[in-house]
Amino acid sequence: MYTQRSHVTDSALLGVLIILIGTLGYTIIEGWGLLDSFYMTIITIATIGYGEIRPLHPSGRLFTIFLIVFGVGNAAYLVGQLTRMMVEGSVQRVMGRRKLEKQIKELNDHYILCGYGRIGRMIAQEVTAQKLPLVVIENRSEVLEQLEKDELLYIRGDASDEDNLSAAGIKRAVGLVSVVSSDAENMYVVLTARGLNPDLFILSRASEEKSLRKLQRAGADLVISPYSIGARKMAQAILRPTVSDFIETMVHGADGLNLAMEEILVTPESKLKDITLLESNIRRDLDLIVIAIKTAEGRMLFNPSAQARVQVGDTLIAIGQRNNMDRLAELLGADISSSPRYRQIKHRLGPERP
């Protein structure tokens, strides 16, 4: 496809060719040196109006007319195309920015991701794969280009700035993840975010162990050290390779296997509320194994007995066929694709922060 950029490139190449022809032409026709010929060609094409540097022969004047017609015409065309590209580019950026701001203002119960480095980008891929709304806050120019390519909503600026967090819709957001470059920056982000939205679920990264408690005291609900988790996972791959493979399959899935491990909230609309696991027939009808129940009070029941009762506000953790998870979510009155959203709303309605 012949684009506007192609027009500019061709016009620029034609301009270089005309300058070469002009320089050689004056050298051959008038017998001038290369510098004088080049100078005469440039002032002619540029229409500066300095006049002839030396008297021209009739053939030289005809050649000058040729340069004026073709050289000046091509130069005017090139300037016009460059101006058009700059103007249209500015308009497109302004319109694109306004469209982006409008889309962000329309979001509710979304997530805010502060930082789009290697970890941030992986988090964004996982969140958007679940069809959950996400806004990224990033201030590095080279990273903004990647955000454009990944077609993500973003705010350009410092993630610890109140204006940027407000522009990202923090008061309407359900959760915030801070994975900026240093623990100190994450601390500022957490403090600012907690002040703007006391009910927000905040997850932060910590590079050093000593930062874990500090970030929690600053207001983070959960602090994770990727280095510690990575080290433990590598150790498990050595010590318990089969267990490690099983967990990886359950959490992330595997090619050819339709297995999943999912957590689903029991909502007031649940058809299985206030009955035991045995009475729910989850194992018999859905071929799913409930491996744990997290009660509304936060107590974790591992390998619950058949007499364990399913209550509103509990979270069931199950393993089994992925398509059966959707059926279980329907029975529990939840939407498996938005289970994180339900979990964070539950967090908002839970006990007050100490």
Side-chain angles (χ1 to χ4, degrees):
M1 189 169 102
Y2 205 61
T3 63
Q4 189 175 15
R5 190 179 296 273
S6 302
H7 283 285
V8 172
T9 303
D10 291 347
S11 181
L13 292 174
L14 180 59
V16 172
L17 181 61
I18 291 174
I19 291 172
L20 290 174
I21 292 173
T23 302
L24 292 174
Y26 284 120
T27 301
I28 296 171
I29 296 172
E30 298 293 342
W32 296 348
L34 287 176
L35 180 59
D36 287 343
S37 299
F38 178 73
Y39 179 73
M40 184 64 183
T41 301
I42 293 298
I43 64 174
T44 300
I45 293 175
T47 65
I48 293 177
Y50 286 162
E52 300 167 0
I53 62 174
R54 296 182 190 178
L56 294 173
H57 295 95
S59 56
R61 292 180 178 179
L62 290 173
F63 182 72
T64 301
I65 293 172
F66 163 81
L67 276 182
I68 293 173
V69 172
F70 290 96
V72 175
N74 181 70
Y77 177 79
L78 178 59
V79 171
Q81 289 296 318
L82 288 172
T83 303
R84 181 182 173 188
M85 282 183 65
M86 289 188 290
V87 171
E88 289 185 353
S90 299
V91 172
Q92 287 177 354
R93 283 193 295 272
V94 171
M95 295 299 292
R97 188 69 235 169
R98 288 181 179 176
K99 182 179 178 182
L100 199 64
E101 291 173 354
K102 182 180 179 182
Q103 289 176 319
I104 294 173
K105 286 180 180 178
E106 293 174 350
L107 292 178
N108 282 293
D109 292 328
H110 58 286
Y111 288 85
I112 299 174
L113 174 62
C114 302
Y116 199 67
R118 287 176 296 178
I119 293 178
R121 192 178 182 193
M122 293 179 67
I123 292 172
Q125 289 172 350
E126 293 289 334
V127 172
T128 53
Q130 296 296 321
K131 309 298 183 184
L132 295 172
L134 179 73
V135 178
V136 179
I137 302 179
E138 178 58 69
N139 59 2
R140 291 173 293 173
S141 300
E142 65 275 12
V143 178
L144 296 178
E145 295 179 5
Q146 186 61 53
L147 282 165
E148 293 277 3
K149 292 179 182 177
D150 294 341
E151 299 181 345
L152 292 174
L153 300 178
Y154 69 90
I155 298 292
R156 179 174 185 171
D158 184 356
S160 63
D161 187 279
E162 290 188 11
D163 292 336
N164 293 328
L165 287 169
S166 296
I170 190 169
K171 293 184 179 179
R172 305 185 309 276
V174 74
L176 178 142
V177 182
S178 184
V179 286
V180 290
S181 57
S182 70
D183 289 350
E185 289 181 275
N186 283 316
M187 187 90 66
Y188 285 122
V189 173
V190 171
L191 282 168
T192 308
R194 180 58 68 205
L196 292 172
N197 188 344
D199 297 324
L200 187 70
F201 178 85
I202 300 178
L203 167 65
S204 178
R205 181 185 75 171
S207 300
E208 301 180 14
E209 290 292 332
K210 62 182 181 181
S211 300
L212 292 172
R213 289 190 176 277
K214 293 180 181 178
L215 283 162
Q216 289 173 339
R217 286 198 295 267
D221 295 285
L222 182 62
V223 183
I224 293 177
S225 173
Y227 302 107
S228 298
I229 292 176
R232 286 197 294 267
K233 186 173 181 180
M234 293 174 73
Q236 291 299 319
I238 296 172
L239 302 173
R240 303 175 183 85
T242 305
V243 173
S244 181
D245 288 345
F246 174 75
I247 294 174
E248 186 71 18
T249 300
M250 290 298 97
V251 176
H252 300 292
D255 294 337
L257 294 176
N258 191 32
L259 297 176
M261 180 165 61
E262 189 59 75
E263 58 177 90
I264 307 172
L265 181 68
V266 182
T267 71
E269 293 76 25
S270 172
K271 299 176 182 177
L272 304 180
K273 62 184 178 182
D274 299 326
I275 62 174
T276 65
L277 285 178
L278 180 62
E279 295 169 335
S280 71
N281 294 322
I282 292 175
R283 179 66 183 273
R284 187 194 68 185
D285 297 340
L286 302 180
D287 197 23
L288 296 175
I289 302 174
V290 177
I291 61 172
I293 297 177
K294 185 177 182 180
T295 66
E297 295 77 26
R299 190 162 53 98
M300 186 69 75
L301 304 177
F302 293 99
N303 191 23
S305 70
Q307 300 305 316
R309 192 168 292 274
V310 179
Q311 303 283 359
V312 173
D314 290 352
T315 300
L316 268 60
I317 302 174
I319 291 178
Q321 294 292 316
R322 190 175 299 275
N323 55 336
N324 290 338
M325 290 293 183
D326 294 324
R327 295 170 58 192
L328 177 59
E330 184 179 352
L331 290 173
L332 296 177
D335 179 359
I336 198 169
S337 64
S338 60
S339 56
R341 174 177 177 272
Y342 280 106
R343 185 171 63 253
Q344 307 309 347
I345 291 174
K346 174 189 170 185
H347 169 78
R348 284 181 173 182
L349 301 175
E352 292 186 2
R353 182 180 303 282

